[in-house]
Amino acid sequence: MNKGKRKMQFEVQENESIEACLERIKNQGYVPIRRTEKPIFQEVVTGKEISYEPVGRQIIFEAVINE
């Protein structure tokens, strides 16, 4: 088997629940081993000040092939 396909990353899509993403992973024959969350920021300019406010998050599951 090709070693590159033994591990895959699955991103929780917009308007998709975590449970739906986990089901999609299972249906493709993989088992999740790690969950990573990254914040998504938006640049906000107030006068001369620039600040960054969190507006969301990106959830990524790392999964391996279920043998």
Side-chain angles (χ1 to χ4, degrees):
M1 179 177 281
N2 185 350
K3 189 170 183 165
K5 295 203 180 229
R6 293 183 56 75
K7 263 189 190 177
M8 281 188 64
Q9 290 189 344
F10 294 86
E11 181 179 346
V12 177
Q13 301 298 311
E14 196 171 323
N15 301 320
E16 179 184 38
S17 68
I18 293 173
E19 291 79 18
C21 182
L22 292 172
E23 188 65 30
R24 182 167 45 101
I25 293 169
K26 180 181 169 187
N27 289 340
Q28 292 186 29
Y30 287 84
V31 176
I33 58 169
R34 180 186 300 167
R35 171 182 166 160
T36 306
E37 288 190 36
K38 298 178 184 177
I40 300 172
F41 293 96
Q42 174 180 341
E43 187 175 273
V44 178
V45 179
T46 310
K48 293 182 179 180
E49 299 251 336
I50 297 176
S51 63
Y52 298 93
E53 296 181 1
V55 293
R57 64 183 175 176
Q58 177 186 35
I59 302 172
I60 300 172
F61 286 99
E62 187 174 311
V64 293
I65 194 86
N66 187 11
E67 297 185 64

